[in-house]
Amino acid sequence: MEESGRRRRRLIAALIAAAGAVFFLGRFFRPLTRTAEVRLDVPREPVPADGALVYARARVALVRDGDRIQALDLTCTHLGCTVTVTPTELVCPCHGSRFDRKGKVLEGPAQRPLKQLRLEEREDRWVVTV
Amino acid sequence: MSFVREFIAHLFPRVVRRNDLKLTYTFCLGGLAFTAFLLLMASGLLLLFYYQPTAEGAFASILFLEEQVAGGKYLRSLHRLSSHALLILLFLHTLRVIWTGAYRPPRQLNWLIGFALLCLALFAGYTGYLLPMDQLALWATQTGMELLHTLPGGGILHAFLVPDGIGGSLSLLRFYALHIVVLPAAMLILISLHFYRVRKDKGVLPYL
């Protein structure tokens, strides 16, 4: 009787300690710096009609579609390789996913469209943020 | 320390039956895997003196080790080959255990410990893969981490392992910490338990 009570108290204390530890560690491993990350900051150049400016290192392409210009994230949504920009579409060299110039999937294995990034014109620069 | 001495003393059986020494039953695969693990610890300890776990300095420190350090290239190759050997031997050891039915009661707990060790060894290999920070390391880790999202709760794991993306300094540091402290420590504890259970289960012979 007394023994089982002691055991229960010990178990409850252990559970509370474990929950506290999980909570603290969860907070500890997630640092707070989640500001808008600047992916690209380059001098502004005109985007050719029906063409694109490709910045492979930053994994960003500025694609013109009529008079709209949008920034596409070149990270393939399948396994994260960098997709190649061709005149008509975007192709992933790793597993052959194909996307159209708006980032929509034409052919798998990728299932989600390419991410669109925020494009801003600051003075005479293109700035792309996530 | 007396605990460690006691532990080691009890690892060795009081008597050894002739049948226990038959090579063709275990093929020494577990022992060989442990040898590979010891080699990894020794070579890794030496690599520790040259490797720099920063996004900018990692690859340069590998080049320095290979080109300017006597035996550096040899040590790095030894570490890499031992890691391959460890995984191959663990896999074969697992197969042997399945074939001889050594997973059956009363050894079921040791089977679970062994399986955990196999998973930890794979994860240790995976975390080590990123550390050179060359193209191969980067893309292999990129694709592997992307695969996490297919798991339930994969997003949380992803945020824990690569908080600032592949190639980020925090991510590299976390892989490094896992690779040189967390995983080896966990493996050492489980290896000790594994050997202890072998002794408790009266050696490796099938129960007749």
Side-chain angles (χ1 to χ4, degrees), chain A residues 22-80:
Chain A
V22 166
F23 175 75
F24 170 73
L25 287 176
R27 293 285 302 271
F28 175 80
F29 282 116
R30 274 200 310 271
L32 291 173
T33 45
R34 292 309 294 162
T35 45
E37 182 200 342
V38 175
R39 278 282 287 274
L40 183 73
D41 185 350
V42 290
R44 202 164 93 212
E45 294 172 43
V47 181
D50 291 328
L53 293 178
V54 180
Y55 301 92
R57 279 261 1 205
R59 307 173 98 195
V60 173
L62 305 184
V63 185
R64 178 188 282 282
D65 184 31
D67 53 0
R68 262 189 74 252
I69 297 175
Q70 57 164 351
L72 274 184
D73 185 355
L74 293 183
T75 308
C76 181
T77 52
H78 172 229
L79 286 184

Side-chain angles (χ1 to χ4, degrees), chain A residues 29 59 78-82, chain B residues 139 142-143 146-147 160 174:
Chain A
F29 282 116
R59 307 173 98 195
H78 172 229
L79 286 184
C81 294
T82 306
Chain B
W139 291 110
Q142 168 81 45
T143 50
E146 215 59 44
L147 279 171
F160 166 67
R174 286 189 182 188

Side-chain angles (χ1 to χ4, degrees), chain B residues 48-155:
Chain B
L48 217 53
F49 284 89
Y50 282 103
Y51 178 73
Q52 302 188 11
T54 61
E56 302 77 31
F59 187 60
S61 76
I62 299 276
L63 290 183
F64 180 83
L65 173 83
E66 293 216 330
E67 288 161 9
Q68 314 288 331
V69 180
K73 204 168 182 156
Y74 175 79
L75 268 177
R76 192 171 166 237
S77 297
L78 180 68
H79 195 70
R80 197 173 56 95
L81 287 170
S82 309
S83 78
H84 296 333
L86 176 70
L87 290 179
I88 291 167
L89 288 164
L90 279 182
F91 182 70
L92 292 174
H93 176 60
T94 310
L95 276 185
R96 193 281 295 176
V97 166
I98 292 170
W99 268 330
T100 56
Y103 55 85
R104 286 192 299 239
R107 296 195 174 98
Q108 68 275 50
L109 178 63
N110 219 10
W111 164 254
L112 290 178
I113 295 172
F115 181 72
L117 275 168
L118 179 64
C119 295
L120 282 176
L122 277 167
F123 191 40
Y126 183 74
T127 49
Y129 213 91
L130 174 69
L131 301 187
M133 289 289 272
D134 53 8
Q135 285 292 315
L136 185 65
L138 225 58
W139 291 110
T141 313
Q142 168 81 45
T143 50
M145 286 288 110
E146 215 59 44
L147 279 171
L148 274 184
H149 289 299
T150 60
L151 291 175

Side-chain angles (χ1 to χ4, degrees), chain A residues 5 12 24 26 61 67 96-97 103 106 115 120-121:
Chain A
I12 290 169
F24 170 73
D67 53 0
S97 301
L106 298 174
K115 220 163 71 190
E120 297 166 49
E121 301 179 31

